[in-house]
Amino acid sequence: MIFVHGAVVDSFTRCTHYHSDVDIIAIKFKCCGLYYPCFQCHDEVRQHETKRWRKEELKEELVVLCGNCKKELTFGEYNDGASRCAFCQARFNPKCALHYDLYFDLG
């Protein structure tokens, strides 16, 4: 089982910052290799600079955790899934894309 760090409020990886029905992912941070529900959860407990995943690293690296089925996804599986898990079809929050630049260097 993968442990999700931060201000987690339920078994679906929701946190005190993001806790709607579709806020059910956690992201593996490149800087520490740990899963957090969001950047705020990471920043509240870590005392290091956040590093973003480079585009070329995202092809193979498992960087997203589905809070419903607990499967790890590559960025491609996560991003190409029309806001749904590639494994269990659980709905993800499409607004997470607004924060991609905090986690991923896609340029």
Side-chain angles (χ1 to χ4, degrees):
M1 185 163 103
I2 297 170
F3 186 78
V4 178
H5 300 260
V8 181
V9 298
D10 68 16
S11 64
F12 293 95
T13 74
R14 292 181 188 96
C15 68
T16 58
H17 310 104
Y18 298 96
H19 45 267
S20 76
D21 289 347
V22 291
D23 290 318
I24 60 166
I25 66 155
I27 297 172
K28 185 192 302 180
F29 279 73
K30 179 180 178 179
C31 45
C32 52
L34 301 175
Y35 276 100
Y36 288 88
C38 75
F39 67 95
Q40 290 169 303
C41 284
H42 176 270
D43 292 350
E44 286 175 353
V45 298
R46 293 290 159 197
Q47 302 300 315
H48 58 252
E49 180 181 341
T50 300
K51 293 182 182 175
R52 299 182 300 162
W53 294 101
R54 292 187 318 269
K55 188 175 184 176
E56 58 272 11
E57 295 172 310
L58 294 173
K59 293 185 188 336
E60 301 290 326
E61 189 72 34
L62 299 171
V63 296
V64 175
L65 176 70
C66 174
N68 187 61
C69 70
K70 310 302 187 253
K71 294 275 191 182
E72 291 181 282
L73 294 83
T74 65
F75 180 77
E77 289 170 327
Y78 167 69
N79 194 47
D80 295 343
S83 298
R84 290 192 176 274
C85 177
F87 297 97
C88 72
Q89 299 303 305
R91 288 183 36 234
F92 296 149
N93 189 340
K95 291 185 179 181
C96 287
L98 298 173
H99 297 146
Y100 280 0
D101 63 319
L102 298 172
Y103 311 105
F104 312 114
D105 181 2
L106 302 175

